[in-house]
Amino acid sequence: MDVNILKDGDAVATAGADLLQRVLRQKPNAVFGLATGRTPLAMYRRLVASCRDEGLSFRKVTTFNLDEYIGLSAEDPQSYRAYMKRELFDQIDIDPGNTFLPECGAKTDPLDVGPAYEALIRSRGGIDLQVLGIGRNGHIGFNEPTSSLNSRTRIKTLTRETIAANKDPSAQPQLAVTMGIATIMDARQIVLLATGEEKAEAVKRAIEGPVSAMCPASILQMHETVSVLLDEAAASKLALRDYYDWIATQKKRIAAEAEGD
Ligand code: GLP
């Protein structure tokens, strides 16, 4: 894992946006896996600004979101489709027809949504870069603790803790369709963003704990290409902090030497 401890949330957002832009420069028709929640908001704002001011283009991009609630219409402001439209899709030049969430319309059998989503991801060539946040209990997407580490896109019951962590628990659905853990692990590259003290324990378990379904994010230890972008608060419980700082020093030295060549 490439663990990056950055000054603050702004630096995390900038580093995340830079990573997406690097992928996009190499592959203008990249397939991105996207996350919702508070954490990626600042990163999305940076991408919007780059699109507006610097000619960044999502014209050929396809996106697959991690998850969507069951029982909310796409127009419901609490739905993840509405969030994505508001925070990103409506403000960039992406083709709305290339933006996918595991949505379960009123007439759709929820059991069909997962296999259809998996097939759609495959038909688009798989995910080049998957963006992840992390829940306080270590969940990724809506893969709550004890989710099979080999799971595929399917219906999940949210924990009471997850329901309470969302803005309006009274209007909060209790079921969602989420990419599975194996679906996430199929992505060629993964970036996990975490900010704030409330994520410090989950971050520690994910990076330095045993690989366990009790902390779904810990499976990322088994992926070859994961970048973790943390602010100081989210990194505050890491045991190997000194080592991560040492790596950062080495990276800076190598970059400076490469520039000098
Ligand atoms: C939510 C989402 C996750 C998100 C996580 C953290 O329940 N399903 O995809 O990464 O919890 O959310 P936040 O960034 O708001 O802390």
Side-chain angles (χ1 to χ4, degrees):
M1 265 189 200
D2 176 30
V3 180
N4 297 274
I5 303 168
L6 304 164
K7 194 167 52 109
D8 52 25
D10 270 356
V12 169
T14 303
D18 284 353
L19 193 54
L20 257 90
Q21 294 192 49
R22 260 203 306 280
V23 172
L24 206 43
R25 268 197 299 276
Q26 278 167 10
K27 190 175 176 187
N29 62 345
V31 178
F32 290 121
L34 298 179
T36 48
R38 281 175 289 271
T39 313
L41 281 174
M43 181 182 79
Y44 291 150
R45 276 198 285 274
R46 272 170 184 64
L47 292 171
V48 166
S50 296
C51 242
R52 193 187 52 223
D53 307 330
E54 293 156 19
L56 180 72
S57 175
F58 285 78
R59 207 165 45 81
K60 298 180 180 165
V61 163
T62 299
T63 63
F64 287 97
N65 264 77
L66 282 166
D67 41 25
E68 179 57 286
Y69 293 119
I70 295 178
L72 296 185
S73 73
E75 292 72 39
D76 190 309
Q78 289 252 67
S79 75
Y80 284 167
R81 166 64 76 182
Y83 167 110
M84 289 309 300
K85 272 172 67 66
R86 198 167 55 231
E87 306 296 343
L88 189 67
F89 299 155
D90 283 355
Q91 302 185 62
I92 59 177
D93 62 347
I94 198 164
D95 175 351
N98 287 334
T99 64
F100 301 101
L101 290 89
E103 289 164 287
C104 183
K107 291 188 187 129
T108 315
D109 181 343
L111 291 173
D112 294 339
V113 176
Y117 204 59
E118 294 281 332
L120 197 55
I121 294 172
R122 276 197 305 275
S123 76
R124 298 284 173 135
I127 291 171
D128 293 303
L129 174 64
Q130 175 67 55
V131 176
L132 295 177
I134 184 169
R136 278 179 271 191
N137 60 7
H139 73 216
I140 46 177
F142 271 135
N143 295 284
E144 300 284 27
T146 71
S147 286
S148 162
L149 296 179
N150 225 2
S151 49
R152 290 279 158 191
T153 306
R154 71 215 181 287
I155 304 165
K156 279 300 288 183
T157 302
L158 311 185
T159 62
R160 292 182 209 275
E161 186 189 11
T162 299
I163 293 165
N166 286 286
K167 267 188 224 124
D168 181 3
S170 63
Q172 190 64 46
Q174 287 140 23
L175 296 177
V177 178
T178 181
M179 271 189 206
I181 295 178
T183 323
I184 292 169
M185 290 292 281
D186 279 348
R188 292 179 192 95
Q189 192 179 349
I190 296 177
V191 58
L192 182 138
L193 280 61
T195 52
E197 222 268 308
E198 60 177 25
K199 299 294 174 67
E201 187 61 33
V203 164
K204 178 183 171 46
R205 292 173 67 210
I207 299 175
E208 297 177 339
V211 174
S212 162
M214 284 300 281
C215 178
S218 65
I219 191 67
L220 299 176
Q221 295 173 32
M222 306 289 286
H223 194 285
E224 262 190 307
T225 320
V226 178
S227 301
V228 183
L229 306 178
L230 306 171
D231 69 355
E232 287 285 346
S236 58
K237 294 195 175 163
L238 291 173
L240 299 190
R241 170 65 198 254
D242 185 51
Y243 180 50
Y244 308 131
D245 287 345
W246 173 239
I247 294 171
T249 310
Q250 298 306 315
K251 277 191 200 159
K252 269 190 208 135
R253 181 179 58 76
I254 292 165
E257 280 172 13
E259 240 170 64
D261 282 349

